[in-house]
Amino acid sequence: MLLCVLTGNAQTRKVRVVMRMGSEFVGTLKEFKIFEHVLLIVDGKEVLVPYDEMAYMDDIVAETKTPATPATPITPVIPETPETPEIPETPETPETPDNPENPVKPAKPETPVTPVSQVSVPDTPVAPVTPVASVIPAAPVTTVAADTPAAPVIPAASVASFKGFLLDINNNVYLHSSSTPVNKEFDEAGLDVLKRLVRRYGFWHIVDKPEDAHFSINYVVTTEGKPKVGVAISSLLTGKDEVLGEAKLPEDIAEFRKQVWELYNKHILPLQKKIEKGNVPSRTKKDFTVE
């Protein structure tokens, strides 16, 4: 069924195929056979790309250009020069004419200053500083333990009341990619490829928070000991998890992106087909069903 859908929509899909050696092809997808090859129409010619030489394939969405609205010219406003306020002239003090009837009163004589006798005050001896016997150590700062468990994530009310099989089509899924020790380059690449694949097939609805999801798809990378990458599913509603498959971790990011894609095709797509046909393994059905 998947191959029929891909073949039926091939003439309308523009894709970009990135090769493991770094080169890429952009054209119309004519044929796509998983684990065999991809057939493209590039500039009117057919290009056959072997599956083993591909790093990954992306859909190209045509962008609709909106004509730019001509900008309205802005007339600069020249600020007016503020007028300098006039400072009123200070009126001249009129001269007092000599008037014999109003004689000028003589100034009072100054009171003589009584000299103060200086009394010598003996210097007060400074008390000797008592030496500190020992420095009291500061109280140790209590640090938050690194292994303090984080607050548990509680499912939202919209999914907490759900009854049935959590992996059913059109249910909510949270996507996550993590590494030990933390490697942001691997985490971001794994999550990017995973989101592209889930959106492409449209089997589940992606949500941004784990508490809004019926279940989660997790890519787990381990770089210590024997480096490996695994894909697993889990759910907060049942507290169960299941590892679907593992593979050797490549050192190159482009190879890692391809590995994420192959694990999805090998384990997630077959699981979707089993869900559609109603023949999910009994263990998976039990662990991911809310009654």
Side-chain angles (χ1 to χ4, degrees), residues 22-47:
S23 60
E24 62 180 45
F25 297 96
V26 177
T28 303
L29 178 63
K30 182 177 181 181
E31 185 180 47
F32 174 41
K33 290 188 176 181
I34 298 179
F35 305 117
E36 293 185 14
H37 65 263
V38 172
L39 184 61
L40 303 176
I41 303 297
V42 181
D43 296 332
K45 299 180 180 179
E46 293 187 355
V47 177

Short mmCIF file of all heavy atoms in Angstrom, two decimals, residues 22-47:
data_model
loop_
_atom_site.label_atom_id
_atom_site.label_comp_id
_atom_site.label_asym_id
_atom_site.label_seq_id
_atom_site.Cartn_x
_atom_site.Cartn_y
_atom_site.Cartn_z
N GLY A 22 28.05 13.70 -0.14
CA GLY A 22 27.87 15.14 -0.02
C GLY A 22 27.15 15.78 -1.18
O GLY A 22 26.63 16.89 -1.07
N SER A 23 27.08 15.14 -2.36
CA SER A 23 26.39 15.71 -3.51
C SER A 23 24.88 15.54 -3.32
O SER A 23 24.42 14.81 -2.44
CB SER A 23 26.84 15.03 -4.79
OG SER A 23 26.58 13.63 -4.74
N GLU A 24 24.08 16.22 -4.17
CA GLU A 24 22.64 16.14 -4.05
C GLU A 24 21.99 16.28 -5.42
O GLU A 24 22.57 16.84 -6.36
CB GLU A 24 22.12 17.21 -3.10
CG GLU A 24 22.38 18.63 -3.55
CD GLU A 24 21.82 19.63 -2.54
OE1 GLU A 24 22.03 19.44 -1.33
OE2 GLU A 24 21.18 20.59 -2.99
N PHE A 25 20.74 15.78 -5.54
CA PHE A 25 19.94 15.89 -6.74
C PHE A 25 18.60 16.49 -6.37
O PHE A 25 18.00 16.11 -5.35
CB PHE A 25 19.71 14.51 -7.38
CG PHE A 25 20.97 13.82 -7.85
CD1 PHE A 25 21.60 12.89 -7.04
CD2 PHE A 25 21.53 14.13 -9.09
CE1 PHE A 25 22.77 12.26 -7.46
CE2 PHE A 25 22.70 13.50 -9.50
CZ PHE A 25 23.32 12.57 -8.70
N VAL A 26 18.10 17.41 -7.20
CA VAL A 26 16.81 18.04 -7.00
C VAL A 26 15.98 17.81 -8.25
O VAL A 26 16.40 18.16 -9.37
CB VAL A 26 16.94 19.55 -6.73
CG1 VAL A 26 15.56 20.19 -6.59
CG2 VAL A 26 17.77 19.81 -5.48
N GLY A 27 14.80 17.19 -8.10
CA GLY A 27 13.96 16.92 -9.26
C GLY A 27 12.63 16.34 -8.84
O GLY A 27 12.26 16.35 -7.66
N THR A 28 11.90 15.83 -9.83
CA THR A 28 10.58 15.23 -9.59
C THR A 28 10.75 13.74 -9.32
O THR A 28 11.45 13.03 -10.03
CB THR A 28 9.67 15.43 -10.82
OG1 THR A 28 9.58 16.83 -11.10
CG2 THR A 28 8.28 14.89 -10.55
N LEU A 29 10.09 13.29 -8.22
CA LEU A 29 10.18 11.87 -7.84
C LEU A 29 9.29 11.05 -8.77
O LEU A 29 8.09 11.25 -8.84
CB LEU A 29 9.73 11.69 -6.39
CG LEU A 29 9.73 10.26 -5.86
CD1 LEU A 29 11.13 9.69 -5.86
CD2 LEU A 29 9.14 10.23 -4.46
N LYS A 30 9.90 10.12 -9.49
CA LYS A 30 9.15 9.25 -10.39
C LYS A 30 8.88 7.89 -9.78
O LYS A 30 7.79 7.34 -9.91
CB LYS A 30 9.92 9.08 -11.72
CG LYS A 30 9.18 8.23 -12.74
CD LYS A 30 9.92 8.14 -14.07
CE LYS A 30 9.14 7.30 -15.08
NZ LYS A 30 9.86 7.18 -16.38
N GLU A 31 9.86 7.37 -9.05
CA GLU A 31 9.69 6.04 -8.45
C GLU A 31 10.54 5.94 -7.19
O GLU A 31 11.67 6.44 -7.15
CB GLU A 31 10.10 4.95 -9.45
CG GLU A 31 9.82 3.53 -8.95
CD GLU A 31 10.25 2.48 -9.97
OE1 GLU A 31 11.37 2.59 -10.50
OE2 GLU A 31 9.45 1.59 -10.24
N PHE A 32 9.98 5.32 -6.13
CA PHE A 32 10.70 5.17 -4.87
C PHE A 32 10.46 3.75 -4.35
O PHE A 32 9.34 3.38 -4.01
CB PHE A 32 10.20 6.20 -3.86
CG PHE A 32 10.80 6.02 -2.49
CD1 PHE A 32 12.14 5.70 -2.34
CD2 PHE A 32 10.02 6.17 -1.33
CE1 PHE A 32 12.69 5.55 -1.09
CE2 PHE A 32 10.58 6.02 -0.08
CZ PHE A 32 11.92 5.71 0.03
N LYS A 33 11.53 2.95 -4.33
CA LYS A 33 11.45 1.59 -3.81
C LYS A 33 12.36 1.50 -2.60
O LYS A 33 13.58 1.68 -2.71
CB LYS A 33 11.87 0.57 -4.87
CG LYS A 33 10.86 0.44 -6.02
CD LYS A 33 11.21 -0.72 -6.93
CE LYS A 33 10.16 -0.90 -8.03
NZ LYS A 33 10.48 -2.04 -8.91
N ILE A 34 11.74 1.26 -1.42
CA ILE A 34 12.51 1.20 -0.18
C ILE A 34 13.53 0.08 -0.25
O ILE A 34 13.24 -1.03 -0.70
CB ILE A 34 11.57 1.00 1.01
CG1 ILE A 34 10.60 2.19 1.13
CG2 ILE A 34 12.34 0.84 2.31
CD1 ILE A 34 9.62 2.05 2.27
N PHE A 35 14.77 0.40 0.17
CA PHE A 35 15.91 -0.50 0.20
C PHE A 35 16.39 -0.89 -1.21
O PHE A 35 17.23 -1.79 -1.34
CB PHE A 35 15.61 -1.78 1.00
CG PHE A 35 15.16 -1.50 2.40
CD1 PHE A 35 13.89 -1.88 2.83
CD2 PHE A 35 15.98 -0.84 3.30
CE1 PHE A 35 13.47 -1.62 4.12
CE2 PHE A 35 15.58 -0.59 4.59
CZ PHE A 35 14.32 -0.97 5.00
N GLU A 36 15.91 -0.23 -2.29
CA GLU A 36 16.38 -0.53 -3.64
C GLU A 36 16.91 0.71 -4.34
O GLU A 36 18.13 0.85 -4.51
CB GLU A 36 15.24 -1.16 -4.47
CG GLU A 36 14.83 -2.54 -3.98
CD GLU A 36 13.80 -3.18 -4.90
OE1 GLU A 36 13.63 -2.68 -6.04
OE2 GLU A 36 13.18 -4.18 -4.50
N HIS A 37 16.02 1.64 -4.71
CA HIS A 37 16.49 2.82 -5.42
C HIS A 37 15.43 3.91 -5.42
O HIS A 37 14.29 3.68 -5.03
CB HIS A 37 16.87 2.47 -6.87
CG HIS A 37 15.67 2.03 -7.69
ND1 HIS A 37 15.36 0.71 -7.87
CD2 HIS A 37 14.73 2.75 -8.36
CE1 HIS A 37 14.28 0.62 -8.62
NE2 HIS A 37 13.86 1.85 -8.93
N VAL A 38 15.86 5.11 -5.86
CA VAL A 38 14.97 6.25 -6.08
C VAL A 38 15.20 6.73 -7.51
O VAL A 38 16.35 6.97 -7.91
CB VAL A 38 15.25 7.40 -5.08
CG1 VAL A 38 14.44 8.62 -5.46
CG2 VAL A 38 14.91 6.96 -3.67
N LEU A 39 14.11 6.91 -8.26
CA LEU A 39 14.21 7.35 -9.66
C LEU A 39 13.68 8.78 -9.75
O LEU A 39 12.54 9.05 -9.39
CB LEU A 39 13.40 6.43 -10.59
CG LEU A 39 13.50 6.74 -12.10
CD1 LEU A 39 14.95 6.62 -12.57
CD2 LEU A 39 12.59 5.79 -12.89
N LEU A 40 14.55 9.71 -10.21
CA LEU A 40 14.20 11.12 -10.30
C LEU A 40 14.20 11.56 -11.76
O LEU A 40 14.88 10.98 -12.61
CB LEU A 40 15.20 11.98 -9.52
CG LEU A 40 15.40 11.68 -8.04
CD1 LEU A 40 16.49 12.56 -7.48
CD2 LEU A 40 14.11 11.91 -7.28
N ILE A 41 13.43 12.65 -12.03
CA ILE A 41 13.48 13.34 -13.31
C ILE A 41 14.17 14.68 -13.05
O ILE A 41 13.63 15.55 -12.40
CB ILE A 41 12.07 13.58 -13.90
CG1 ILE A 41 11.32 12.24 -14.03
CG2 ILE A 41 12.17 14.28 -15.23
CD1 ILE A 41 11.97 11.27 -14.99
N VAL A 42 15.41 14.80 -13.52
CA VAL A 42 16.21 16.01 -13.31
C VAL A 42 16.49 16.63 -14.67
O VAL A 42 17.19 16.03 -15.51
CB VAL A 42 17.53 15.69 -12.57
CG1 VAL A 42 18.33 16.97 -12.37
CG2 VAL A 42 17.25 15.01 -11.24
N ASP A 43 15.95 17.85 -14.89
CA ASP A 43 16.12 18.56 -16.16
C ASP A 43 15.71 17.68 -17.35
O ASP A 43 16.37 17.62 -18.40
CB ASP A 43 17.59 18.99 -16.33
CG ASP A 43 17.99 20.00 -15.27
OD1 ASP A 43 17.09 20.72 -14.80
OD2 ASP A 43 19.18 20.04 -14.92
N GLY A 44 14.59 16.98 -17.19
CA GLY A 44 14.06 16.17 -18.29
C GLY A 44 14.72 14.81 -18.45
O GLY A 44 14.34 14.03 -19.33
N LYS A 45 15.72 14.48 -17.62
CA LYS A 45 16.42 13.21 -17.74
C LYS A 45 16.19 12.37 -16.49
O LYS A 45 16.06 12.91 -15.39
CB LYS A 45 17.93 13.43 -17.94
CG LYS A 45 18.26 14.22 -19.21
CD LYS A 45 19.77 14.39 -19.33
CE LYS A 45 20.14 15.18 -20.59
NZ LYS A 45 21.59 15.38 -20.72
N GLU A 46 16.16 11.05 -16.64
CA GLU A 46 15.97 10.15 -15.52
C GLU A 46 17.31 9.90 -14.82
O GLU A 46 18.32 9.63 -15.48
CB GLU A 46 15.37 8.82 -15.98
CG GLU A 46 13.94 8.95 -16.50
CD GLU A 46 13.33 7.59 -16.80
OE1 GLU A 46 14.07 6.57 -16.68
OE2 GLU A 46 12.13 7.52 -17.13
N VAL A 47 17.28 10.00 -13.49
CA VAL A 47 18.48 9.75 -12.68
C VAL A 47 18.12 8.66 -11.67
O VAL A 47 17.21 8.83 -10.86
CB VAL A 47 18.94 11.03 -11.95
CG1 VAL A 47 20.15 10.71 -11.07
CG2 VAL A 47 19.29 12.12 -12.96
#
